[in-house]
Amino acid sequence: MVQNSSQRRSLFDSERRFRLLVEGVIDYAICMLDPDGIITNWNAGARRIKGYEAQEVIGRHFGIFYLPEDREAGVACAVDCHGP
């Protein structure tokens, strides 16, 4: 049990350091998407560059950043741009 607890603590610390790193970057927009293209994380750089607060975009499909005609054409989409 001690090893398992130690491993959990190590994982928690690693995730915390990663989160602090990503959140501290302001020169680059960093966002995380789930497998369906839904925005799950939005950093300060993304807010500064794209102009949206995290609460405005988290939970929405990343296709919101493309014009409707570009979404229909599949321009610059690695996953389905049509969104839900």
Side-chain angles (χ1 to χ4, degrees):
M1 184 61 103
V2 173
Q3 182 181 9
N4 195 17
S5 176
S6 176
Q7 289 172 336
R8 279 194 305 256
R9 180 64 185 183
S10 178
L11 178 60
F12 174 81
D13 288 344
S14 176
E15 289 175 348
R16 184 174 53 86
R17 284 190 304 271
F18 178 75
R19 189 172 38 256
L20 288 171
L21 171 69
V22 169
E23 290 173 358
V25 173
I26 60 169
D27 294 332
Y28 297 93
I30 301 173
C31 67
M32 291 186 196
L33 307 175
D34 73 6
D36 295 320
I38 303 300
I39 300 165
T40 61
N41 189 296
W42 190 252
N43 80 334
R47 182 180 66 240
R48 185 178 72 80
I49 293 166
K50 298 299 263 179
Y52 294 94
E53 295 294 329
Q55 65 268 20
E56 294 178 276
V57 295
I58 291 178
R60 297 185 65 189
H61 192 271
F62 83 96
I64 64 172
F65 301 119
Y66 297 95
L67 296 171
E69 55 270 21
D70 289 340
R71 287 194 304 264
E72 291 300 318
V75 174
C77 291
V79 298
D80 178 19
C81 274
H82 298 88

